[in-house]
Amino acid sequence: MKGTAILYREDQSVTIIEDVEQSVFEDIKKQCGCENCNTKIENQIINYGTVSPALWHEDEVDWDYGY
């Protein structure tokens, strides 16, 4: 199942990852609060820094709707 991961970072920025497998989100969620939250997407390791919390939205977000 794919969806959108919403990551709130320590510096108060938000990272949105669309079209991501739920297993990738679960891997990120396990690392919440860690200093170097990272995961592999499209054969690249990406470091998000400190993430807390991480939220999941099934399917895609309709950005035109006004989220």
Side-chain angles (χ1 to χ4, degrees):
M1 171 187 331
K2 289 191 175 186
T4 302
I6 305 167
L7 313 178
Y8 292 89
R9 298 175 54 193
E10 184 177 46
D11 64 1
Q12 298 183 355
S13 65
V14 176
T15 300
I16 310 275
I17 310 168
E18 293 184 297
D19 199 33
V20 66
E21 291 289 340
Q22 189 170 11
S23 60
V24 172
F25 169 75
E26 294 298 331
D27 185 44
I28 292 170
K29 190 170 181 173
K30 287 178 189 174
Q31 299 177 61
C32 278
C34 295
E35 217 172 281
N36 293 304
C37 176
N38 58 60
T39 192
K40 187 175 185 177
I41 298 177
E42 295 181 9
N43 295 321
Q44 292 183 332
I45 295 179
I46 302 170
N47 185 341
Y48 298 105
T50 302
V51 172
S52 184
L55 304 174
W56 174 255
H57 179 70
E58 193 173 317
D59 299 321
E60 293 182 13
V61 173
D62 183 359
W63 297 107
D64 293 331
Y65 184 71
Y67 285 94

